[in-house]
Amino acid sequence: MLLTIVSAVFVFGLLVLVHEWGHFITAKMTNMRVDEFAIGFGPKLLGWKRGETLYAIRAIPLGGYNRIAGMDMDEDENDAGDRAYFKRPVWARMIVILAGSIMNFILPVVLFFLIFFFVGIQSPSVEPVVGGVMDSSPAASAGLMAGDKITSINGHEVTEWKNISEYFKDSAGTPVALTYLREGEQKETTVIPVEEPSSKRVIIGIQGTLVAHEVSLGDAAIMSVEKTWTIFKSMLEALVMLVTKEGASAELSGPIGVAQMAGEVAQHGFIPLLNFAAFLSLNLGIVNLLPVPALDGGHFVTLVIEAVRGKQMSRQAMYYIQAVGVVLLISLMLFATFNDITR
């Protein structure tokens, strides 16, 4: 439970910090007055003021915000003068609105670069050494463990990992004699392979080991961009499927589900958690740009309308648009949370 909480706080905190920093820095660059930059919601735990901006860490670490003067429709229109959000040029407001999601697209590139450069890339080893054993699998029942080196199957010598699948290929449901080395000591066991329903492959529930390879600075930069772009495209395809019949059975996850996933990923180490954060950052960036009121994409649409009309929408119209958006988002959040709890 503690690992799940710490992992969730780290992931949510990182994503929100980067997203809100995008809004913050572009608001400053376009001469808007930022009254507060906060990570989290609720009561203030820690805060310090530098210049005109209060920097705060608040009690509920599931979000964050920038309080930009003039962005709140209930605020006195003359309070911030020409530095109020609504008095800045439409192009400046567009930049500020888009900057959060843009930062969420940049973060994965940075995280993948750090992983590739400092950790390297991993490729499957050809050695017939067990890297992991699935729970409740035939291999687990036979007593196999990570680190065991398989030397023969039914009397056939095993010299490479590919030999294992070759010798098990036609033996589903049949006891197979297996010899292996564990810490230099030869052992024997019997395993009964099974056929995997989805792929029709015969398996015993083991995976091989991985070999790490160093990556140069230039290659790490190129690979990080390529990986980010690949994931980005797959997410867009998934989003299209979600609004079609193909995605009718898709399951949505809310904060509870994401926190649970973060805890599960963290059990495998810090690097997998960084990969998860990169994946989630891309997801957040894309979702935030959807043309839904109360999301950044919805704000951007109203700015486009303003640019076309040549004048701002009325405060009353903006209020009703935002109210509808908030209701939609809260409804979606409740639905996703209900899914998390029932799962």
Side-chain angles (χ1 to χ4, degrees):
M1 177 62 74
L2 179 60
L3 180 63
T4 298
I5 294 174
V6 172
S7 302
V9 170
F10 169 76
V11 171
F12 283 125
L14 178 62
L15 268 56
V16 169
L17 174 63
V18 168
H19 183 93
E20 294 302 328
W21 177 258
H23 292 315
F24 171 80
I25 196 66
T26 50
K28 289 283 190 180
M29 290 172 63
T30 53
N31 198 30
M32 296 180 189
R33 196 187 79 197
V34 183
D35 294 329
E36 183 177 356
F37 175 81
I39 299 299
F41 295 109
K44 182 174 66 176
L45 299 179
L46 181 65
W48 63 97
K49 192 163 187 177
R50 184 176 178 182
E52 63 189 12
T53 305
L54 171 67
Y55 299 86
I57 297 176
R58 298 186 175 272
I60 306 173
L62 296 178
Y65 61 90
N66 279 286
R67 188 152 52 85
I68 301 174
M71 206 167 188
D72 185 349
M73 290 181 293
D74 295 328
E75 190 174 0
D76 181 1
E77 294 191 5
N78 298 314
D79 180 55
D82 291 337
R83 298 183 63 204
Y85 170 82
F86 63 89
K87 287 191 177 181
R88 301 305 297 155
V90 67
W91 62 263
R93 284 175 279 149
M94 285 181 172
I95 290 174
V96 172
I97 289 300
L98 294 178
S101 289
I102 290 173
M103 288 300 294
N104 281 128
F105 296 145
I106 294 175
L107 177 62
V109 177
V110 174
L111 292 179
F112 288 141
F113 171 79
L114 294 175
I115 293 171
F116 287 140
F117 185 67
F118 290 103
V119 180
I121 59 174
Q122 295 180 321
S123 61
S125 171
V126 298
E127 292 291 318
V129 177
V130 178
V133 179
M134 295 172 60
D135 293 336
S136 305
S137 65
S141 300
L144 288 176
M145 298 173 59
D148 292 343
K149 182 176 182 179
I150 299 173
T151 56
S152 71
I153 297 174
N154 267 352
H156 299 287
E157 183 182 11
V158 175
T159 58
E160 295 181 290
W161 181 263
K162 66 179 182 180
N163 296 150
I164 298 174
S165 57
E166 292 172 356
Y167 297 149
F168 280 132
K169 184 170 59 175
D170 300 315
S171 56
T174 304
V176 175
L178 188 145
T179 304
Y180 61 96
L181 292 176
R182 178 178 294 171
E183 297 180 350
E185 181 182 352
Q186 182 170 297
K187 295 178 176 290
E188 296 181 355
T189 188
T190 300
V191 62
I192 304 177
V194 296
E195 185 178 78
E196 190 178 44
S198 58
S199 65
K200 303 299 181 183
R201 294 185 304 116
V202 176
I203 62 171
I204 63 171
I206 60 173
Q207 61 187 31
T209 55
L210 298 174
V211 179
H213 303 277
E214 291 185 357
V215 177
S216 69
L217 183 69
D219 287 342
I222 294 172
M223 292 168 60
S224 61
V225 173
E226 290 177 342
K227 184 169 183 177
T228 301
W229 176 243
T230 299
I231 297 175
F232 179 80
K233 287 193 299 182
S234 67
M235 284 185 174
L236 288 181
E237 292 170 359
L239 184 61
V240 171
M241 291 178 62
L242 188 63
V243 296
T244 64
K245 293 181 180 179
E246 296 178 71
S249 61
E251 292 185 345
L252 296 175
S253 290
I256 295 176
V258 173
Q260 183 181 15
M261 285 186 280
E264 292 172 353
V265 171
Q267 293 178 7
H268 299 284
F270 185 62
I271 299 303
L273 186 62
L274 288 182
N275 273 286
F276 179 69
F279 178 87
L280 206 60
S281 184
L282 277 173
N283 194 293
L284 176 62
I286 292 173
V287 169
N288 242 305
L289 289 181
L290 294 177
V292 177
L295 291 180
D296 290 344
H299 284 294
F300 186 76
V301 169
T302 61
L303 290 174
V304 171
I305 294 174
E306 177 184 332
V308 172
R309 295 175 68 231
K311 62 179 181 179
Q312 294 185 10
M313 298 179 66
S314 69
R315 304 288 274 184
Q316 186 177 23
M318 289 295 298
Y319 177 82
Y320 286 124
I321 289 173
Q322 296 302 319
V324 170
V326 169
V327 171
L328 288 174
L329 286 180
I330 292 177
S331 300
L332 184 61
M333 184 67 68
L334 291 174
F335 176 71
T337 302
F338 176 76
N339 276 349
D340 292 339
I341 294 173
T342 53
R343 278 199 297 266

